[in-house]
Amino acid sequence: MLVPIVAKPGTSRRNLTGSWRTMQKPHFLQQNCIACRRCLLICPEGCIEGDKKNTYHTDYDYCKGCGNCVAICPKDDIEMVPEETEL
């Protein structure tokens, strides 16, 4: 008999998943942003924050480096940088 593994409710804030990240992470250039919020909507982890033009950033404690935000940005204002890069 298979038993599903389910996390207890409310544990996502304690589970810092950023250590699972790929070898790259998103960097918001904050130059051509038009505040379309597509990056916020596409992020599977909900770790992009910001509320007005040129103020979006990623919470690297939860970002897995999928690059969806980079792919959907209509202004190419987000880039993937190597994990070692200090921002």
Side-chain angles (χ1 to χ4, degrees):
M1 181 169 132
L2 294 176
V3 178
I5 298 173
V6 180
K8 292 181 181 178
T11 60
S12 62
R13 284 289 173 198
R14 289 190 304 251
N15 294 334
L16 304 180
T17 57
S19 63
W20 304 353
R21 193 170 28 257
T22 62
M23 298 303 288
Q24 295 188 327
K25 60 186 176 183
H27 174 241
F28 286 75
L29 300 173
Q30 300 180 347
Q31 296 171 353
N32 299 314
C33 178
I34 57 173
C36 67
R37 301 174 52 93
R38 290 181 185 180
C39 54
L40 284 154
L41 297 172
I42 195 89
C43 180
E45 295 301 317
C47 60
I48 297 175
E49 300 171 348
D51 57 4
K52 57 185 176 179
K53 188 174 181 178
N54 295 336
T55 61
Y56 295 95
H57 63 276
T58 303
D59 184 343
Y60 293 120
D61 287 337
Y62 301 99
C63 176
K64 293 192 178 96
C66 68
N68 288 348
C69 54
V70 175
I72 202 164
C73 182
K75 292 296 188 174
D76 296 324
D77 202 45
I78 310 168
E79 64 182 359
M80 294 300 280
V81 297
E83 183 65 39
E84 307 83 34
T85 305
E86 289 293 322
L87 302 175

